[in-house]
């Protein structure tokens, strides 16, 4: 395996004593979770996407969901009790998280952000989520999203 970069996410995982295993792959712009899964021989359902959305007032919301599914802004807004929710502009997402789009991790963000996790993700034994850099995933138990990040489960 290639040398694993030490990112803010990796530092945050280590600081929280979260057991994880890093995996690197060849990043391709626009490839997304499905590309990462294909490169590593994984089920895309186990690869967790980290999406940055904004509500109607411009407040950021991080959504963690299966790599083979899509978020419903309308359902998310309803769950959060806000007027609307939609994708953040990449520059805005980077400003909120400190990560480039395609390398966004829920761990080690610039400041704590509200996080919503798809409840079925929590039912998996292991998941793969971005490790804070394009081409880097970490394998971990999904319960850490709630335990360490305070993520709120939602359907």
């Amino acid at each position: 395996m290639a040398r694993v970069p030490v990112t803010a996410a990796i530092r945050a995982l280590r600081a929280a004593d979260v057991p994880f295993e890093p995996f690197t792959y060849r990043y391709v712009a626009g490839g997304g979770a499905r590309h990462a899964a294909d490169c590593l021989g994984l089920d895309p359902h186990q690869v967790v996407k980290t999406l940055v959305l904004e509500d109607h007032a411009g407040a950021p919301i991080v959504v963690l969901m299966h790599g083979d599914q899509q978020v419903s802004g309308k359902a998310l807004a309803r769950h959060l009790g806000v007027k609307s929710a939609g994708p953040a502009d990449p520059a805005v997402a980077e400003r909120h998280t400190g990560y480039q789009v395609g390398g966004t991790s829920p761990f080690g963000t610039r400041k704590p952000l509200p996080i919503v996790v798809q409840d079925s993700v929590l039912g998996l034994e292991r998941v793969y989520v971005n490790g804070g850099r394009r081409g880097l995933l970490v394998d971990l138990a999904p319960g850490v999203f709630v335990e360490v990040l305070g993520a709120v489960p939602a359907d």
Side-chain angles (χ1 to χ4, degrees), residues 8-102:
I10 298 295
R11 284 192 295 276
L13 288 165
R14 288 177 178 159
D17 290 324
V18 173
F20 69 93
E21 186 175 353
F23 292 88
T24 58
Y25 64 96
R26 188 173 171 276
Y27 174 80
V28 174
R34 187 161 306 277
H35 170 73
D38 289 346
C39 285
L40 297 171
L42 303 171
D43 178 350
H45 201 67
Q46 283 187 281
V47 176
V48 174
K49 296 192 271 194
T50 305
L51 305 174
V52 181
L53 288 85
E54 290 183 310
D55 69 12
H56 66 280
I61 307 153
V62 174
V63 175
L64 303 175
M65 62 183 303
H66 296 288
D68 60 354
Q69 297 183 358
Q70 294 182 359
V71 69
S72 165
K74 196 177 255 187
L76 179 64
R78 200 171 26 254
H79 175 79
L80 296 173
V82 297
K83 291 180 186 177
S84 63
D89 179 86
V92 172
E94 186 174 340
R95 190 170 64 245
H96 286 307
T97 65
Y99 295 116
Q100 289 182 306
V101 171

